[in-house]
């Protein structure tokens, strides 16, 4: 690989403020100066991640009145697009912008078509409701936020002229009168539940599903709600529901690619069976053969399958789609008006914009790529050595970027959460299921689940560990132990995470639970064969509610799993995402805009440096990187402030202030930060 020579900087001479008297017994308040334009160079390396991600879809009349599929694609802003199911062409493409022009929604899972052909979209990030009236030249209307304070509007249903939707973090249900615009708030479904991700209606009753497997039947007139019996103990998130032919179908579990569909009979008030291995958001309505269709998955291939709604007997069809992620984001039966597709044809749109057609009369199927508009992907993680590696949020993807020119190589992949470059190897932690991969940069990329290479290629990246069976979901921390690499994970439906230690030679993982009960590891560093970790009291989805109040800094023996010590650097802090060890073996933790250093032998507090007066903003955020040659700590605080701190003297400086999310420092001493989808290089000038 190409080597970058370290730039000679005047970093140590450029500090203007010395932080005196920083002792453990009396933490000092930092008086900081801002680097001038002449001191610092900020270079844009462009937007290295770009792809299509379909979040939700629904059939309905297209702009010309003909049958179409309407889909929402993620972006800045998200877009509402309509597809011709037969040709796969895009019929319309419009951004979901706010009425005041002050921005837009980044995405939306909720989408439904009204009886008159109007399309409604519920979005996340802004928690707004949007409408596109039927017709060829209709604009997008921003109907505002139906429930103040809630940032997600999930699945929606329409009955009797009213739209019903579920929200996060209020865990509530609301209704919107399609004629008058009047909103009714039915309130939180259950104390402690933040999510109503699924909603449907059957025989005049609205059904809402929460995170911890609670499903409520709501009388729309009175607002009285009754909880259904749970289909199974501790069965997890109710992530989708369909009402079909008098029965309720609830998809349970966090997996979008392989979950169980439970079947409820309202007449008897009982769950009457289940369907395993279901991928995607929706089941079809009853088809012309009396069967209900869905996408079945075995983890590598998706098969269009059907089941008898009475017996639940499953039968696979001949239609298959390769890949781990074969979930549909919209499904419907349509008359395509083509003799090659007689009668009703099943139409599904997958997450990357593929259109899957299946005709039960002829057993004909096709998979087509639709030319949907893609968008730059928000950078979710950065790793740096000679090259810069970035992973994307939600859409996923991995890109290798030349730090000088910005030239990139992009691969479609899962959502990256941790990256550790290691010579020709790049160690990757991805969501969901807290998976660990090893990517050999000298060999051909081939990932059959997301982006296959040439026929006959071996898997690269190679899957080394799957945390799904252990209820692990996110994997945002990584550290190099020399002959091993360690990852920290967050759980899905519980609170205790794990530390996964992988032997680089044998590729064998060892899993240590905890090590702090009811907390998970979100920051890691290593020195002298010891792991130093920072924890979070919150799991992957902020559910279940935390049982602890203080994030911990700890030392762990990665060979035995022995917890050597643990301390609380900042009482009340919910997370410590930034952990580093300097050349003097001092352990540093970044918490709520404050840096603390600790004795690596026992965790005793040595120094506190308060970088910001505000200790509440961005309390779950924070990125910390150490440059050993300059003995400098780079701290990204509260998603907007980048500091450089001399680890020896405590001199500190505000280097850059703008929206930023992720940070990495290369072997050349260059800091790389993300600003939404843009990658920036930050360097001190020579002096």
């Amino acid at each position: 690989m190409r080597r970058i020579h370290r730039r000679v900087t005047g970093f140590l001479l450029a500090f203007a403020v010395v932080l005196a008297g920083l002792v453990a017994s009396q933490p000092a308040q930092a008086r900081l100066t801002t680097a001038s334009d002449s001191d610092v160079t900020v270079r844009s390396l462009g937007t290295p991640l770009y792809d299509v991600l379909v979040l939700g879809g629904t059939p309905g009349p297209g702009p010309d009145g003909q049958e179409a599929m309407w889909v929402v694609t993620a972006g800045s802003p998200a877009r509402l697009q309509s597809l011709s199911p037969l040709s796969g062409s895009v019929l319309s493409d419009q951004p979901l912008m706010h009425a005041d022009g002050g921005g837009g929604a980044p995405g939306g899972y909720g989408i439904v078509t009204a009886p008159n052909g109007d399309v409604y979209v519920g979005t996340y990030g802004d928690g707004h409701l949007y409408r596109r009236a039927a017709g060829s030249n209709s604009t997008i209307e921003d109907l505002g936020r139906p429930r103040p304070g809630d940032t997600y509007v999930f699945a929606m249903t329409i009955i009797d002229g009213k739209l019903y939707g579920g929200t996060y973090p209020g865990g509530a249900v609301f209704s919107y009168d399609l004629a008058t615009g009047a909103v009714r708030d039915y309130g939180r479904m259950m104390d402690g539940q933040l999510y109503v991700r699924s909603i449907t209606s059957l025989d005049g009753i609205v059904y809402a599903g929460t995170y911890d497997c609670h499903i409520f039947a709501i009388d729309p007139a009175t607002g009285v709600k009754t909880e259904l019996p749970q289909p199974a103990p501790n069965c997890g998130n109710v992530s989708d529901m369909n009402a079909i032919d008098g029965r309720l179908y609830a998809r349970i579990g966090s997996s979008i690619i392989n979950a169980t569909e439970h079947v409820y009979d309202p007449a008897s008030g009982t769950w009457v069976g289940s369907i395993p291995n279901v991928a995607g958001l929706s089941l079809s309505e009853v088809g012309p053969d009396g069967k209900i269709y869905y996408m079945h998955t075995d983890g590598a291939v998706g098969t269009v399958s059907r089941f008898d709604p009475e017996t639940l007997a499953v039968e696979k069809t001949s239609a298959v789609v390769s890949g781990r992620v074969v979930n549909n984001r919209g499904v419907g039966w349509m008359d395509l008006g083509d003799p090659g597709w007689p009668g009703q044809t099943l139409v599904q749109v997958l997450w990357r914009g593929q259109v899957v057609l299946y005709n039960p009369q002829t057993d004909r199927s096709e998979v087509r790529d639709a030319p949907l508009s893609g968008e730059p992907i928000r950078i979710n993680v950065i790793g740096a050595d000679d090259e810069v590696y970035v992973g994307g949020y939600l859409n996923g993807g991995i890109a290798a970027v030349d730090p000088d020119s910005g030239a990139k190589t992009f691969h479609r992949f899962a959502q990256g959460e941790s990256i550790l470059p290691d010579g020709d190897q790049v160690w990757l932690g991805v969501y969901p299921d807290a998976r660990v991969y090893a990517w050999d940069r000298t060999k051909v990329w081939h990932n059959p689940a997301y982006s296959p290479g040439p026929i006959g290629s071996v898997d690269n990246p190679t899957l080394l560990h799957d945390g799904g069976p252990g209820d692990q979901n996110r994997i945002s921390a990584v550290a190099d132990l020399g002959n091993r690499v360690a990852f920290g994970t967050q759980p899905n439906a519980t609170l205790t995470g794990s530390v996964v230690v992988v032997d680089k030679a044998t590729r064998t993982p060892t899993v240590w639970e905890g090590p702090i009960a009811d907390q998970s590891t979100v920051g890691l560093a290593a020195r002298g064969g010891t792991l130093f970790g920072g924890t979070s009291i919150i799991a992957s989805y902020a559910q279940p509610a935390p049982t602890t109040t203080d994030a911990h800094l700890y030392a762990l023996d990665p060979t035995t799993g022995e917890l050597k010590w643990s301390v609380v650097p900042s009482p009340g802090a919910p997370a410590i995402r930034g952990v580093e060890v300097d050349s003097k073996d001092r352990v540093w933790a970044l918490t709520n805009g404050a840096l603390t250093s600790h004795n690596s032998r026992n965790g005793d507090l040595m120094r506190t440096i308060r970088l910001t007066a505000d200790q509440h903003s961005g309390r779950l955020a924070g990125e910390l990187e150490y440059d050993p040659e300059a003995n400098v700590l780079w701290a990204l605080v509260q998603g907007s402030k980048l500091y450089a701190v001399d680890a020896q003297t405590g001199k500190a400086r505000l280097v850059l202030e703008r929206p930023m999310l992720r940070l990495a420092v290369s072997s050349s001493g260059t800091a790389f930060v993300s600003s939404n989808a843009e990658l920036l290089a930050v360097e001190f000038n020579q002096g």
Side-chain angles (χ1 to χ4, degrees), residues 27-42:
Q29 177 68 39
R31 293 178 293 111
L32 302 168
T33 58
T34 303
S36 67
D37 292 341
S38 61
D39 293 331
V40 176
T41 296
V42 179

Side-chain angles (χ1 to χ4, degrees), residues 77 95-105 126 128-131 139-145:
L96 296 172
M97 298 293 294
H98 291 168
D100 61 5
D126 62 351
H128 280 225
L129 189 64
Y130 296 82
R131 173 172 56 203
T139 58
I140 302 288
E141 300 174 74
D142 176 13
L143 303 177
R145 181 177 286 184

Side-chain angles (χ1 to χ4, degrees), residues 265-631:
D265 179 13
S268 65
T270 60
W271 295 92
V272 297
S274 61
I275 306 155
N277 306 114
V278 177
L281 293 181
S282 299
L283 306 175
S284 78
E285 295 288 339
V286 175
D289 56 359
K291 306 292 178 65
I292 296 174
Y293 285 68
Y294 70 103
M295 188 71 79
H296 178 281
T297 178
D298 63 4
V301 173
T303 305
V304 176
S305 302
R306 56 193 165 211
F307 63 89
D308 186 307
E310 295 301 321
T311 67
L312 301 185
V314 172
E315 176 188 9
K316 293 183 178 180
T317 74
S318 62
V320 296
V321 183
S322 64
R324 177 178 187 270
V325 186
V326 291
N327 59 87
N328 75 63
R329 297 305 178 108
V331 59
W333 290 100
M334 298 184 184
D335 185 345
L336 302 183
D338 185 288
W341 301 91
Q344 293 291 302
T345 295
L346 182 73
V347 180
Q348 299 182 78
V349 179
L350 305 186
W351 70 313
R352 293 303 188 189
Q354 293 173 306
V355 178
V356 181
L357 305 179
Y358 177 74
N359 188 281
Q361 183 174 327
T362 63
D363 197 39
R364 178 185 177 186
S365 64
E366 284 189 18
V367 181
R368 300 171 175 175
D369 288 320
L372 293 168
S373 296
E375 292 283 343
I377 302 168
R378 192 184 89 186
I379 295 171
N380 196 51
V381 63
I382 309 174
D385 59 1
D386 301 343
E387 289 190 281
V388 187
Y389 301 89
V390 294
Y393 171 72
L394 202 60
N395 307 51
I398 294 289
V401 184
D402 184 292
D404 293 325
S405 68
K408 64 182 181 182
T409 301
F410 173 81
H411 299 287
R412 182 172 283 175
F413 199 48
Q415 177 176 305
E417 300 218 322
S418 48
I419 298 178
L420 177 66
D422 181 25
D424 291 333
Q425 298 294 317
V426 181
W427 305 93
L428 304 169
V430 305
Y431 165 94
D433 299 330
R435 287 168 286 148
V436 175
Y437 288 84
W439 173 23
D440 188 334
R441 291 276 286 132
T442 67
K443 297 180 180 178
V444 173
W445 176 283
H446 173 67
N447 184 264
Y450 298 96
S451 48
I455 295 175
S457 299
V458 298
D459 285 3
N460 182 37
T462 304
L463 178 63
L464 306 181
H465 174 73
D466 187 336
D471 191 49
Q472 299 302 302
N473 200 32
R474 300 193 185 277
I475 185 165
S476 58
V478 63
D480 193 348
L481 280 160
N483 59 356
R484 293 170 293 175
V485 59
F487 291 85
T489 73
Q490 288 180 276
N492 166 44
T494 54
L495 286 170
T496 302
S498 68
V499 174
V500 181
V501 181
V502 178
D503 186 290
K504 293 182 181 180
T506 66
R507 306 296 178 91
T508 303
T510 300
V511 180
W512 303 114
E513 184 178 355
I516 307 298
D518 284 0
Q519 298 190 12
S520 51
T521 296
V522 294
L524 273 178
R527 177 62 62 87
T530 297
L531 273 175
F532 301 94
T535 70
S536 170
I537 67 173
I538 298 171
S540 290
Y541 300 119
Q543 294 246 223
T547 61
T548 57
T549 57
D550 306 315
H552 283 242
L553 179 70
Y554 68 80
L556 180 77
D557 185 324
T559 302
T560 66
E562 176 193 359
L563 181 64
K564 295 183 175 183
W565 53 258
S566 70
V567 297
V568 175
S570 179
I576 302 170
R577 291 190 174 271
V579 180
E580 287 290 342
V581 186
D582 68 19
S583 57
K584 300 294 185 181
D585 288 338
R586 292 169 295 211
V587 183
W588 293 83
L590 178 64
T591 310
N592 293 3
L595 267 174
T596 56
S597 67
H598 301 259
N599 187 313
S600 61
R601 295 187 298 276
N602 54 24
D604 285 352
L605 180 66
M606 300 172 67
R607 169 179 282 180
T608 297
I609 303 173
R610 298 200 183 280
L611 298 173
T612 63
D614 177 7
Q615 297 294 300
H616 298 284
S617 300
R619 298 176 75 232
L620 289 171
E623 297 268 302
L624 187 65
E625 291 279 318
Y626 178 60
D627 178 355
E629 290 194 36
N631 198 28

Side-chain angles (χ1 to χ4, degrees), residues 630-655:
N631 198 28
V632 168
L633 292 153
W634 292 82
L636 177 55
V637 177
Q638 298 174 350
S640 62
K641 301 176 180 68
L642 180 64
Y643 294 91
V645 180
D646 187 300
Q648 181 61 35
T649 67
K651 298 177 182 179
R653 195 173 196 183
L654 178 60
V655 177

